[in-house]
Structures are given as C-alpha cells and as structure tokens.
Amino acid sequence: VLSLELNKDRDVERIHGSGINTLDIEPVEGRYMLSGGSDGVIVLYDLENLSRKPSYTCKALFTVGRSHPDVHKFSVETVQWYPHDTGIFTSSSFDKTLKIWDTNTLQPADTFHFEGTVYSHHMSPVATKHCLIAVGTKSPKVQLCDLKSGSSSHILQGHRQEVLAVSWSPRHEYILATGSADGRVKLWDVRRASGCLSTLDQHNGEKSKASSEAANTAHNGRVNGLCYTNDGLHLLTIGTDDRMRLWNSSTGENTLVNYGKVCNESRKGLKFAISCGCNPEFAFVPYGSTIAVYTVFTGELITMLRGHYSTVNCCVFQPHFQELYSGSKDCNILAWIPAPRESVPDDISEKSLPQQHLNPAYEDAWSSSDDEG
C-alpha cells in the first residue's frame, strides 16, 4: 500500500459518460467490480487479466445503460454486491428507488420505492440470520428493507435530518451505524424496539467543551461518510466540518486521533475505504481531485494519489492484491497498483546499498546464515 501508484499497464474500460459516484468489488473472489454513474448507468467489470499480457484493459462485461428499460432515472449513489455470491447486486438512486438485480439476466428481481432521494444503502457483510438492507434517504428515518420478504416495514427513528451514510458492523450482524446531516452518528441494535444504542459524542461527554446544541454531535457539520475497520472494533467518520474522527465502536469513545484538515465539500455521501490485511491499516479518502492516504490509528498523512482530472467521489480497496480503484467526476475509474520493488543485481549485496533505497515497510527481518557464523 505504501507504494501504490497509478498503473500505466492497467486501464479500466471507459464506459461512463458522466461522473462515477460509487464502486464495489465482490468479496467472494475479488474479481468483479460494479460502478454507478450520475446518469443512472451501472457497469460491471472483470478485473482479472485473462490475456496474461503485462498491459491490459479491465473489460466491461455488462452495462445497464440509458436504453435499458429498468435503468435508474437519476444518479446512482450506491452499488453493492450481495455479500455471499455474485448472482445478486443492489443499486440505489436519487430516483427514490433501491433495486435488487439478478446478475445473470440484468433484470431487477425487486424494487423498493421511497418518499425521498436515496443517499446510501448497505447490506451486512456478516449476517446469517437476517437479510436486511439499511437505507439512508432524505427522511431522518432509517429504513430497513427485508430482501427475503420484499417489504420495508422496519424504521429506525432518532435522526433529525437526512441520513447520508449507513454501514453495518463487520463484527456484529445486528449493529448498524448511521451518519446524518444533523451532525450525529448513531449506533443501533436493530433487534431492539427503541433501536438506538448510542449517539457518538465528539467531546466524550465533557459538557464544558460542548455548547448545548453541539452536545452529542460527532461532527460540527453534515456527517457524509462512515467506514468500519475490518475487525469492526473502530468506526471512521467524515464530516463537512473538514474533520475525520476515529471511534471505539464498542464504547462509542472518540479516540482523538488527529488527521488534520480533511477537505470535504461533498453535498451528498462520500465513499471512502479502509485497507484490509495491512499493518498498520490505512484510510483512502477522496480529497478534491486526489485521494489522501492516512494511517488509521496515528492520523499521519502518508501520501496523496494524483491522477484524476476532477473531484474523486469514491474509492474501493481490493484486499487480495492490495489494490485501490477510484471513481471520479471526470468519468474515469483509475487502478492504483503497488509498484514492484526494484530488483537488486546479484553481485551487489543489499548491505552495500544506500539505506534510503528501501522503504522501511519492505525491509526484511531475516538474518542470513553467514551472519550467524
């Protein structure tokens, strides 16, 4: 991850004629990627290099284009694969619908209608006992749609303004986090009648620091992005107060990690990503036309990935190969691939190389048997 760079040998076929808002890679094989655009178009890509040539283009396998009878009428804000197999994917849109698609026929198997714009939806990556899709809309009520019954009866009440981001815990299948334009982040247990477990407080309950209206807010602006770490122990939130905060998800405590100013002018949900299988873990956050890479637990800004021509709206991490894909208003999807380390000729021992040549993350801790005598 420390050596991610824009890959000159890998392109993602350019299909979208308008900005790209959302990307998702299926967790089963890590091979197929969905994208959703502001013109309602959805594209499915195969990321695997079937040609085995060093440079290749990830081909679009299918497109739900403008001429498709069931295409979304307005901007697609979220796409997500069904977590357990690639036969189903979901999409939600500013046209006030959430669609459940059959991947093989590219027909909607079900459509849920809402009263307002849909900003975000999410299915639990770990649920075995429920098939609930959490949906954040222009209404302050969080809707839960049941994939099995096709009904959306369940509602979580507590926010005061529109819900811009929703995310299920990857650790506990009934725990849901939601972020709203009211500045609040709420954690819910969807089995409980009242639902709300806690409202995260940036001041950790210290009344002196909080004016009465800022009490119990996670951000001093709209909360438009949430992402759990992969172990589910921490939750990262981002707000239009240009701040990112890391919370202990079991105690609800603000860990007070300082990421500095995280520029965030998005009026809607912002899709950012956290690495998986790295030590330390990193957050990839759209930052204007770049992607800022932070270490999650120290707040250090490691690098800015530059390559897009316009605002970056979303990024997604591919853990099998430690790759990153990003989508932007410039209609491009870019692939960021770890650069291979330069090989060292056999006749030069690594000891004689200048030390700064090696990134400390790559230095090995093995000793060769010669040293031991």
Side-chain angles (χ1 to χ4, degrees):
V1 169
L2 291 172
S3 63
L4 280 176
E5 59 178 39
L6 191 56
N7 194 333
K8 301 164 197 63
D9 298 320
R10 183 174 327 174
D11 268 330
V12 179
E13 191 177 350
R14 188 174 163 149
I15 304 282
H16 286 280
S18 70
I20 294 156
N21 297 324
T22 170
L23 296 169
D24 191 44
I25 296 175
E26 44 86 17
V28 183
E29 294 177 79
R31 173 174 172 182
Y32 299 105
M33 180 169 73
L34 292 166
S35 63
S38 16
D39 54 0
V41 170
I42 297 169
V43 184
L44 194 164
Y45 300 91
D46 185 349
L47 301 179
E48 192 161 309
N49 179 9
L50 296 170
S51 72
R52 300 277 172 257
K53 291 181 184 147
S55 56
Y56 70 102
T57 299
C58 300
K59 287 285 181 214
L61 297 179
F62 305 110
T63 302
V64 180
R66 294 305 314 156
S67 58
H68 191 289
D70 298 298
V71 67
H72 281 290
K73 293 186 177 58
F74 303 125
S75 176
V76 173
E77 291 298 303
T78 313
V79 287
Q80 190 193 0
W81 287 101
Y82 179 61
H84 307 297
D85 73 63
T86 52
I88 303 174
F89 67 88
T90 54
S91 62
S92 60
S93 161
F94 278 179
D95 67 9
K96 307 179 184 177
T97 63
L98 162 70
K99 296 188 179 187
I100 316 300
W101 298 85
D102 177 324
T103 312
N104 300 309
T105 62
L106 281 195
Q107 302 297 321
D110 210 344
T111 302
F112 294 91
H113 296 269
F114 302 93
E115 284 171 15
T117 306
V118 183
Y119 289 105
S120 171
H121 77 270
H122 193 230
M123 283 178 282
S124 166
V126 293
T128 54
K129 300 186 189 71
H130 72 75
C131 274
L132 297 172
I133 306 176
V135 186
T137 69
K138 214 168 180 62
S139 151
K141 298 171 184 158
V142 180
Q143 308 265 349
L144 297 178
C145 300
D146 193 330
L147 198 54
K148 282 213 173 82
S149 69
S151 72
S152 55
S153 52
H154 213 91
I155 286 171
L156 304 173
Q157 301 199 43
H159 282 298
R160 295 172 193 179
Q161 290 180 47
E162 52 199 1
V163 178
L164 299 171
V166 295
S167 181
W168 292 95
S169 160
R171 194 178 188 87
H172 304 289
E173 65 176 285
Y174 293 105
I175 304 294
L176 175 72
T178 58
S180 162
D182 62 13
R184 289 175 170 80
V185 172
K186 289 182 177 285
L187 299 180
W188 314 80
D189 180 335
V190 299
R191 293 168 300 185
R192 291 169 42 148
S194 65
C196 192
L197 286 174
S198 63
T199 302
L200 302 183
D201 175 15
Q202 58 184 310
H203 303 293
N204 286 335
E206 289 182 37
K207 291 280 182 281
S208 57
K209 291 184 185 160
S211 64
S212 56
E213 75 254 21
N216 273 358
T217 55
H219 288 269
N220 300 327
R222 301 153 65 88
V223 181
N224 60 351
L226 311 160
C227 191
Y228 274 97
T229 53
N230 286 280
D231 57 13
L233 296 176
H234 291 85
L235 177 69
L236 198 55
T237 63
I238 194 164
T240 54
D241 54 359
D242 291 341
R243 289 282 174 261
M244 189 155 73
R245 298 208 161 95
L246 183 71
W247 310 82
N248 177 317
S249 57
S250 52
T251 64
E253 191 179 6
N254 178 359
T255 62
L256 304 174
V257 173
N258 180 9
Y259 299 93
K261 182 181 176 184
V262 183
C263 218
N264 172 4
E265 289 167 2
S266 176
R267 300 297 301 150
K268 47 187 197 176
L270 190 70
K271 313 280 196 284
F272 65 100
I274 294 180
S275 64
C276 174
C278 300
N279 183 15
E281 296 291 1
F282 299 95
F284 306 98
V285 184
Y287 196 111
S289 63
T290 65
I291 299 152
V293 183
Y294 296 91
T295 47
V296 171
F297 295 104
T298 66
E300 188 186 351
L301 175 61
I302 299 293
T303 185
M304 303 286 265
L305 302 176
R306 299 173 199 281
H308 282 290
Y309 300 113
S310 184
T311 311
V312 179
N313 293 322
C314 55
C315 47
V316 63
F317 189 69
Q318 208 289 29
H320 302 63
F321 298 110
Q322 306 275 304
E323 299 167 348
L324 185 75
Y325 291 85
S326 57
S328 159
K329 214 167 164 176
D330 64 13
C331 311
N332 289 323
I333 297 174
L334 297 183
W336 308 85
I337 313 291
R341 189 173 132 193
E342 296 111 60
S343 56
V344 178
D346 292 344
D347 53 339
I348 310 175
S349 83
E350 290 211 0
K351 292 266 188 302
S352 64
L353 280 173
Q355 277 306 295
Q356 71 273 19
H357 174 80
L358 281 180
N359 180 319
Y362 300 130
E363 284 182 17
D364 60 38
W366 299 98
S367 59
S368 69
S369 53
D370 309 14
D371 302 346
E372 271 146 29

